[in-house]
Structure formats: structure tokens, C-alpha cells
Amino acid sequence: MQWLIFSKAERERLHPLNVALFLVAMLSVPFFLQTHISILIVLSGHILFFTWIRQWSVLRYLTLPLVYIGMMYVPLLVGASVDPYGIWLTGLTVALFVTSSQLTFTLVRLDQMGPLFRILPRLTRLTGMVLAILPSLLRTWPEVKMSHTKQPLTEKMERVALYHLLPIEAVPSPLRHLTLSDWMIGLLITGIYLAFWSPVAVIAALVLPGLLMFSKGGVRDAYHYYRRSRVT
């Protein structure tokens, strides 16, 4: 279901400032939604989205909020009292925060923010090396974990580190000029972010990911996917 989001070319053309703005807005979603029903609605929407594109395996991270909720109920074993509403509200907020993070990583590539670090003195080369090694590190770790399943964690990490002891000459490219489309997307994200402060915060939280999912690149990919499925 990758055709639902930006095509690769569209995502690579997304301006780094808009990537950073979307990241901040998405991670702020749980802190703007204060009511129980609002969090339930948005969390349900995110869960349905992930179930649609990646099936149930992606929902394994939801065990973390469940563990937290279980730990908060432990005082009941010794006769103490707890606040069930507060516990579940905090658990849902944590779940929504992690879900927003997952959704952010799905919709945008965070390594696109690399050019933003060029404006920081003395950090250009270091930042470039880190940003160059991260994608490779994320690909290498699952391979090492699968090929050395019985090895201790320290040895796995050592193998990953040895694999990356190579000279890296990758420096982020200069920050390109903002185009009209960049301004429009930035204004839309900013407008939706400001809407979080209003009573329509739930609608804004649901529309923000859709702004990137159903872009012109996403709609075009969906059209070609539909045509191919009809032919086959």
C-alpha cells in the first residue's frame, strides 16, 4: 500500500523545512488533544491507517502503553487506590505519541533535514557523517540480528560497528531555495498546526497526515495502481 503516500520523487523534492515542520506538528498532536474521546478518535484513525498499509505486525509497539497501564494498576494488589481514568488517559496519550512518531517516519524521510544542519558552525562534516551512516545502520542491524540470532547483544553491536568502520565523505547538500509549492505546503502545515489550538483539533490531527498522504504524487500513484489492478 505504499502508493498511498508520496511517491519517491515527490518525497525527495519535499523541502527540509517542511519535513521539520511536519515532524514538530505530528509529535505535538498528543499534547493538543486533552479529552478522552479526542484521543480515542485520532488513535483509532492512526491504527486503522497502519493496519491498512502494513497489517497487524506494525501494532506490536502498542504493547508498551499496555505494559505501562498494567504497572499503574499494580498498587491494587496491596490494597491501594488508583485513578483508572487518569491511567487510561495517560496510556492513550503515550500510545498516540508513539503512533504519531511511526506515522511521521512512514510519511517523510528524516534524512532530508540534513541540509538544515549546514547553518550550524563546525557541525557540517560531523552531521553529514551521522546522517550518512544512519540509513545504512538501520539496514545492517536487522541483517546482523537475523544472521547471528544466538550471539549476545554485545557481539551483534560489535559486528554492526565493524561493518561501518569505513571512511564516509557524505556532507548534506546546500539548502535549496523555497519554491511556490514549498510555500504552499508550509502554509498548509502551519495552518493545520495552529488549528490544534481550536475546538477542531481532532479534525486537524486527522487532516495533517492526509496532507502528505494524498498529495498529487500520492493521487497519481493511486491512479496507476488502480489501472494496473484492473488490467490484471
Side-chain angles (χ1 to χ4, degrees), residues 70-82:
M71 292 175 61
M72 292 298 101
Y73 275 97
V74 169
L76 292 175
L77 299 177
V78 294
S81 60
V82 298

Side-chain angles (χ1 to χ4, degrees), residues 46-216:
H46 287 174
I47 288 177
L48 289 175
F49 169 77
F50 274 110
T51 305
W52 191 9
I53 66 171
R54 293 188 176 182
Q55 304 305 319
W56 287 103
S57 60
V58 77
L59 302 179
R60 288 178 294 181
Y61 70 88
L62 290 178
T63 55
L64 296 175
L66 291 177
V67 169
Y68 166 81
I69 292 173
M71 292 175 61
M72 292 298 101
Y73 275 97
V74 169
L76 292 175
L77 299 177
V78 294
S81 60
V82 298
D83 178 15
Y85 178 81
I87 291 174
W88 281 97
L89 188 61
T90 304
L92 287 172
T93 304
V94 173
L96 181 56
F97 180 83
V98 182
T99 305
S100 298
S101 305
Q102 294 276 339
L103 192 58
T104 302
F105 301 147
T106 302
L107 293 179
V108 297
R109 294 176 52 189
L110 299 185
D111 56 348
Q112 287 180 253
M113 293 195 299
L116 294 177
F117 292 93
R118 288 181 64 95
I119 61 178
L120 301 176
R122 302 184 182 181
L123 288 182
T124 301
R125 180 174 176 81
L126 176 61
T127 305
M129 293 174 65
V130 171
L131 289 173
I133 201 174
L134 279 179
S136 180
L137 183 65
L138 293 175
R139 288 193 301 267
T140 306
W141 170 247
E143 297 174 2
V144 172
K145 187 170 62 172
M146 291 178 61
S147 59
H148 299 79
T149 54
K150 297 183 179 180
Q151 300 297 330
L153 179 62
T154 54
E155 185 170 341
K156 293 178 183 178
M157 296 298 294
E158 183 180 358
R159 289 182 178 275
V160 173
L162 290 174
Y163 180 82
H164 289 93
L165 288 179
L166 300 172
I168 298 175
E169 300 293 340
V171 177
S173 57
L175 191 64
R176 64 177 176 83
H177 295 292
L178 284 165
T179 63
L180 180 60
S181 61
D182 296 328
W183 279 107
M184 294 301 297
I185 293 178
L187 288 174
L188 283 173
I189 295 177
T190 304
I192 295 174
Y193 182 68
L194 294 177
F196 286 161
W197 297 91
S198 68
V200 296
V202 177
I203 299 176
L206 291 173
V207 170
L208 181 59
L211 175 65
L212 296 186
M213 278 191 296
F214 297 100
S215 62
K216 61 178 181 179

